[in-house]
Amino acid sequence: MKVKLVSESFLIRGTFTISRGSRTHANVVVVELQQGEYIGRGECVPYARYGESIESVLAELETLVAKIESGLTREQMQSLLPAGAARNALDCAYWDLACKQQGQRIWERIPVAQPISLTTAFTLSLDKPERMKKAAIDNAHRPLLKLKLAGEGDIARVTAVREGSPKARIIVDANEGWDEALYIEIVPELVKLGVEMIEQPFPADNDAALEHLPRPITLCADESCHDRTSLPKIIGRYDMINIKLDKTGGLTEALELKKAAQQANLQIMVGCMLATSLAMAPAFVIAQGVDVVDLDGPLLLAEDRESPFTFTESLMHVCDAELWG
């Protein structure tokens, strides 16, 4: 086995802004595992919110290179890295390599039903209401819009988007930007505007208030949900979880988290960091049959990988084996 670790950067269409800041590039880490003629790949996005950087993720992975090249298995690796971006890229590379060696698609190996095309949400970047309205008009043909919010001015932002795209379903992502007073003020207005889901209204370490606040709109845990160990605190506070492979630490744990969440009667969203089609491919497998799909990363990029996902507007089609799995 040979291991290759690289960092890459992909240009975003315009600027992507959330409550924590703006970006013009998607910066990713890719793991390649080569055994003979076969190469498996996995991609991750280091996220500063979780104390990660390109450098820290590469350093984490470097600690295992010798063990991987000496025969470390995917199953053995799970306990050697924490849930997070580094383990995700390595875990997905193991899965991809196994698929290529055995001549199987990923759904045959897990196994699950052969996947079908999925409709993904399309994200509108945080901005002034008038600019978000323009973005909503430009994307009014899309069936599901996800709005990045920040706190102050959010009612005006959602109102503007609803005016610009009156027929679209709308979900919103506060990215931990609200407090209890704002929640009480804003939620009734969002009900009137037809918002179907609110993602992570409060900071992950300060969301206990959700146990006693009304939930007329579905609440989804993002930063509060990483892997199966997150579930005990989520039940009673949220109605839905957002599964992201960069949080679960790969496809292996994501499969188990999905199963556990379903057993707990939680709704499921499958989301992504801002990344290429390579990162979307394993998430696409997890996203089969869930309540909300948010895998629009490639649609937000000005450039993508070879053999990328094909989209018909917001409809995401099954990827080729050349990409992953």
Side-chain angles (χ1 to χ4, degrees):
M1 181 84 81
K2 295 181 180 179
V3 181
K4 182 179 179 181
L5 310 175
V6 296
S7 61
E8 298 176 331
S9 185
F10 293 82
L11 184 66
I12 295 169
R13 296 182 190 276
T15 300
F16 187 77
T17 302
I18 66 172
S19 60
R20 299 188 190 99
S22 300
R23 286 180 289 167
T24 57
H25 289 77
N27 300 311
V28 306
V29 170
V30 176
V31 175
E32 289 188 1
L33 302 179
Q34 182 173 3
Q35 204 162 34
E37 63 184 288
Y38 301 105
I39 297 176
R41 301 184 300 165
E43 177 182 308
C44 71
V45 179
Y47 198 33
R49 167 65 179 80
Y50 304 130
E52 297 172 335
S53 66
I54 294 289
E55 294 74 21
S56 73
V57 166
L58 287 171
E60 273 189 278
L61 291 166
E62 285 284 359
T63 65
L64 291 186
V65 168
K67 290 182 179 180
I68 297 167
E69 292 182 340
S70 297
L72 183 73
T73 67
R74 174 179 57 81
E75 293 82 3
Q76 292 168 337
M77 180 273 297
Q78 301 300 316
S79 62
L80 300 182
L81 288 175
R87 196 176 79 189
N88 176 33
L90 182 53
D91 183 73
C92 292
Y94 272 114
W95 279 107
D96 188 34
L97 178 63
C99 287
K100 289 178 167 56
Q101 288 174 325
Q102 299 301 319
Q104 291 180 308
R105 294 308 307 267
I106 184 65
W107 50 88
E108 297 173 303
R109 290 199 61 78
I110 292 176
V112 293
Q114 183 169 339
I116 60 173
S117 299
L118 300 173
T119 297
T120 178
F122 183 80
T123 304
L124 301 187
S125 180
L126 177 67
D127 212 327
K128 296 178 180 178
E130 58 270 23
R131 291 178 62 87
M132 292 187 75
K133 181 176 180 177
K134 173 62 166 56
I137 292 171
D138 292 343
N139 291 281
H141 58 287
R142 299 187 185 276
L144 178 60
L145 297 178
K146 175 178 171 177
L147 317 186
K148 289 291 188 179
L149 301 180
E152 183 179 354
D154 281 348
I155 294 175
R157 291 184 180 98
V158 181
T159 300
V161 169
R162 175 54 76 203
E163 291 172 352
S165 188
K167 295 182 179 180
R169 297 169 56 210
I170 292 177
I171 58 178
V172 302
D173 184 1
N175 279 120
E176 303 180 281
W178 298 356
D179 57 23
E180 189 170 345
L182 180 59
Y183 179 96
I184 293 169
E185 174 191 354
I186 198 173
V187 167
E189 299 304 315
L190 297 184
V191 171
K192 296 176 186 176
L193 290 165
V195 171
E196 297 183 11
M197 184 268 279
I198 301 168
E199 195 176 343
Q200 199 67 40
F202 299 162
D205 59 357
N206 192 31
D207 60 2
L210 295 175
E211 294 177 10
H212 65 78
L213 288 170
R215 300 205 299 264
I217 299 175
T218 298
L219 293 188
C220 180
D222 182 4
E223 286 84 354
S224 291
C225 181
H226 289 251
D227 56 16
R228 282 172 288 173
T229 63
S230 304
L231 291 182
K233 287 187 177 181
I234 285 169
I235 296 169
R237 298 180 185 180
Y238 297 91
D239 312 292
M240 176 184 286
I241 64 166
N242 187 351
I243 299 176
K244 291 180 180 175
L245 272 67
D246 277 317
K247 294 185 302 174
T248 66
L251 178 62
T252 301
E253 174 61 22
L255 289 165
E256 296 301 323
L257 175 58
K258 180 179 181 180
K259 185 188 306 181
Q262 289 172 329
Q263 290 172 348
N265 294 317
L266 289 166
Q267 298 177 57
I268 297 173
M269 173 183 187
V270 173
C272 64
M273 304 301 188
L274 191 46
T276 76
S277 285
L278 179 57
M280 302 305 120
F284 184 83
V285 177
I286 294 291
Q288 297 295 311
V290 304
D291 300 279
V292 178
V293 178
D294 180 25
L295 298 178
D296 62 344
L299 292 174
L300 304 174
L301 298 179
E303 53 188 357
D304 198 357
R305 299 189 179 277
E306 294 182 5
S307 303
F309 271 98
T310 299
F311 290 83
T312 304
E313 300 299 348
S314 292
L315 189 65
M316 189 178 192
H317 302 291
V318 180
C319 70
D320 294 333
E322 287 78 5
L323 175 66
W324 186 86

